[in-house]
Amino acid sequence: MDIYHNIPILLVAVPILFSALTIFLRSTFRLQKILNATVFAGLFAMSLALLLYVWENGIIVYEVGEWGKYGIILVADLLGSGMVVLSSFISLMAMLYAHDYMHKDTALDTTFFPLFNIMVAGLNGIFLTGDLFNLFVFFEVLVMASCGLIVLTGRGDHTKMVAKVEAIFKYLILNMFSIILMLTAIASLYATVGTLNMADISVKLSYLSENGTLPWHIHVIALMFIVVFGYKAAMFPLHFWLADVHPSAPAPIHAMLSGMVIKVGVYAMLRVHYLLFPDVLFLTRPILIVLSLITIVVGATSAIGQYDLKRMLAYSSVSQIGYVLLGVGMGTAYTTTAALVYLVNHAMAKSMLFLTTGETLYHAGTKDIRKMGGFIRTAPFLGGVFLMGSMSIAGLPPMGGFIAKLVLFDAGLGAGFYIPIAIALVFAIFTLFYLFRTWLTIFWGEFKEPENEELYLSRNPTTQIKIALMLLACAVLFFGVYPEPLLALSTEITSQLFDPQPYIDAVLGGSVR
């Protein structure tokens, strides 16, 4: 066995180990800073090596213990490996940004580093786990770490602690109902097939379907998972928590929540429904199309009416996740490929926008868009990066978001979904309107306090923050100018989703460690 087969467990174990280590090193901030930057760079390098290996050599299965399909296994296929690369890159950028953004006296030295490591471990575990119960466990690890991170403060954070606690309370109450529903679905499925291993469940449900004995309640279980994962992805009507929770978080956590955390719902839908419930897709796909379109409409129209910059971008995330879910719901190979391309580009661009927003709020001293103006004069770097992010989300060339929207609309029209694509196109214009109205107001409007110009100039980003933002900007531009690698990878991932037999063979065919 080569070292590549150990990478899946390292991607989960290393952040957990360093979360404990950073607690013991809480009094040495400089060492923590260097150590965590090194660890997250290493995680990104390992995830990239894993993706390239899986793409070239096939699926990797790592068994934790010696229990085979009855124990905990980690499965690195192209979908899971690709999501881990995306998560590792964005978390590395957020970590570099946070070093100079978070309030060191209350967060970085005692709380931020341990919880951030746990959150990343939860994300990687979700993308790599091969059984349903551990998918649930890693969901809860992610939620608990996120709640602890939301209450922290940074230098551009204008949210009162009361609002943070209220947002977390809403998040946890909804999550409690999500827990009950997910555990009920898992228990019902286990009672039916006697296993929690997703590959094993797939084989047994396929056997029942082929023999015409598939129980009716399997359809109900599939719909229950749609509700659970729809809540995770902030899909209408389970989206309203996001507009309170995400703006309450400090900028690097906001970037992780919107850039990656809501994407776990989309990932779980793709993994569970294509692997476990292919015979129920005829029922779930139309539901996804309708709900995704409503999500697009509600998110875009809500964003237009916002003057709180972070809240406006939060509603924008609701609208944009609707486009990803629309691609999933339309259900052809091309539309699913388009959904994956859209997911990656949105994660990059929206993470960049939220990190830029954190510095913009620090620069302005307020989160009210109406009180800002003319900051291109005092913060040209922020203005340029915010413009690039807005162009990508709005779908303008040469940014990656242009390719994402172009491929999605082309796939939808090619599959005959004319009305859904028409609705999506109309509200893409809404996106263009509210993002560029915001950019013009903040950076190109009247400079309202010229007497405080020196104060504004003193609130510009540090070198490390600029590096993180520039790397994200380069990624957004790269996927717009040279999208072929992402398109090729997304096509291969879709092929594996539509034909899960290689996944099943890797897990159950004797290739387990």
Side-chain angles (χ1 to χ4, degrees):
M1 179 186 296
D2 54 45
I3 191 172
Y4 292 99
H5 286 76
N6 294 307
I7 291 179
I9 190 63
L10 291 175
L11 288 169
V12 178
V14 168
I16 293 175
L17 172 65
F18 276 88
S19 70
L21 186 59
T22 52
I23 295 175
F24 291 108
L25 298 175
R26 60 185 180 274
S27 60
T28 55
F29 167 70
R30 184 174 178 80
L31 178 59
Q32 282 196 83
K33 183 176 176 180
I34 296 171
L35 190 62
N36 278 275
T38 304
V39 167
F40 278 84
L43 289 174
F44 175 62
M46 284 194 293
S47 66
L48 193 58
L50 178 66
L51 174 62
L52 294 174
Y53 183 90
V54 170
W55 199 348
E56 181 69 26
N57 299 283
I59 297 169
I60 292 175
V61 179
Y62 186 95
E63 180 187 0
V64 182
E66 301 294 338
W67 298 96
K69 67 181 183 181
Y70 302 106
I72 299 172
I73 62 169
L74 301 177
V75 185
D77 64 344
L78 283 178
L79 176 60
S81 302
M83 292 298 291
V84 169
V85 170
L86 183 63
S87 171
S88 298
F89 178 71
I90 292 175
S91 60
L92 174 60
M93 296 302 104
M95 176 61 73
L96 292 176
Y97 179 99
H99 286 165
D100 289 342
Y101 176 86
M102 300 297 294
H103 286 160
K104 298 177 180 59
D105 55 338
T106 60
L108 276 173
D109 56 347
T110 57
T111 310
F112 176 79
F113 286 130
L115 288 178
F116 196 91
N117 275 276
I118 290 293
M119 180 174 68
V120 170
L123 279 169
N124 291 344
I126 288 169
F127 298 141
L128 294 173
T129 186
D131 70 275
L132 278 178
F133 185 74
N134 281 289
L135 180 66
F136 162 77
V137 170
F138 284 121
F139 269 144
E140 295 314 300
V141 169
L142 177 61
V143 168
M144 294 301 104
S146 299
C147 288
L149 289 164
I150 288 168
V151 299
L152 303 182
T153 58
R155 66 181 193 169
D157 194 349
H158 302 284
T159 305
K160 295 180 180 178
M161 187 56 66
V162 173
K164 288 176 178 282
V165 174
E166 179 186 346
I168 291 174
F169 180 76
K170 293 177 182 177
Y171 190 35
L172 289 177
I173 290 295
L174 284 170
N175 189 66
M176 182 178 66
F177 288 109
S178 170
I179 289 171
I180 294 170
L181 197 60
M182 187 171 184
L183 283 178
T184 302
I186 292 173
S188 301
L189 201 54
Y190 181 75
T192 304
V193 297
T195 182
L196 294 172
N197 182 285
M198 287 191 278
D200 203 19
I201 294 172
S202 178
V203 170
K204 293 181 177 180
L205 290 181
S206 296
Y207 177 80
L208 292 174
S209 179
E210 289 169 4
N211 287 277
T213 57
L214 189 69
W216 64 270
H217 67 267
I218 294 297
H219 297 74
V220 178
I221 293 172
L223 292 176
M224 291 170 72
F225 278 119
I226 285 285
V227 175
V228 173
F229 301 147
Y231 154 71
K232 300 291 184 185
M235 179 179 70
F236 178 89
L238 303 168
H239 68 287
F240 55 88
W241 60 271
L242 185 144
D244 288 328
V245 173
H246 285 203
S248 300
I253 307 309
H254 198 175
M256 287 296 295
L257 292 174
S258 191
M260 281 311 305
V261 173
I262 63 172
K263 304 301 189 300
V264 302
V266 179
Y267 165 82
M269 283 187 192
L270 290 169
R271 172 69 73 209
V272 170
H273 284 84
Y274 277 100
L275 183 58
L276 272 56
F277 306 117
D279 296 311
V280 191
L281 289 173
F282 75 93
L283 179 62
T284 56
R285 280 172 175 166
I287 294 173
L288 272 181
I289 290 175
V290 172
L291 293 180
S292 65
L293 288 173
I294 300 174
T295 303
I296 291 170
V297 173
V298 170
T301 52
S302 299
I304 286 177
Q306 301 301 316
Y307 294 103
D308 181 325
L309 180 55
K310 293 179 76 173
R311 198 172 182 86
M312 183 273 290
L313 290 175
Y315 276 117
S316 173
S317 292
V318 172
S319 180
Q320 295 304 304
I321 205 67
Y323 286 92
V324 179
L325 293 170
L326 178 61
V328 175
M330 289 187 289
T332 70
Y334 191 15
T335 61
T336 306
T337 298
L340 292 169
V341 172
Y342 205 109
L343 184 151
V344 172
N345 280 289
H346 177 260
M348 295 286 190
K350 190 54 69 73
S351 298
M352 182 175 73
L353 267 180
F354 279 125
L355 294 180
T356 307
T357 294
E359 281 301 290
T360 303
L361 298 185
Y362 170 67
H363 186 81
T366 178
K367 58 182 178 180
D368 191 334
I369 297 171
R370 295 167 295 185
K371 296 180 181 179
M372 304 179 198
F375 288 151
I376 199 71
R377 176 174 167 179
T378 53
F381 175 80
L382 293 178
V385 177
F386 196 99
L387 180 62
M388 289 181 67
S390 298
M391 289 175 66
S392 186
I393 298 296
L396 297 180
M399 304 303 163
F402 168 72
I403 300 298
K405 277 192 167 63
L406 178 66
V407 173
L408 180 65
F409 293 161
D410 180 54
L413 292 174
F417 292 96
Y418 302 115
I419 294 177
I421 293 301
I423 295 171
L425 183 58
V426 168
F427 285 90
I429 298 172
F430 277 52
T431 305
L432 183 68
F433 168 74
Y434 66 71
L435 283 174
F436 279 86
R437 180 191 65 178
T438 300
W439 186 84
L440 288 170
T441 301
I442 295 173
F443 294 101
W444 210 255
E446 178 187 356
F447 190 50
K448 297 181 179 179
E449 298 181 16
E451 68 277 8
N452 292 327
E453 184 172 353
E454 290 298 323
L455 175 63
Y456 288 131
L457 289 171
S458 69
R459 295 176 179 168
N460 272 321
T462 64
T463 300
Q464 189 161 317
I465 286 175
K466 286 182 177 180
I467 290 172
L469 292 175
M470 283 191 292
L471 288 172
L472 281 167
C474 289
V476 169
L477 185 60
F478 174 81
F479 287 125
V481 175
Y482 187 55
E484 284 80 4
L486 179 58
L487 287 168
L489 176 60
S490 299
T491 302
E492 287 294 320
I493 291 173
T494 301
S495 177
Q496 285 191 358
L497 284 171
F498 278 60
D499 178 20
Q501 195 58 48
Y503 182 100
I504 295 168
D505 291 341
V507 175
L508 303 179
S511 60
V512 180
R513 172 182 174 272

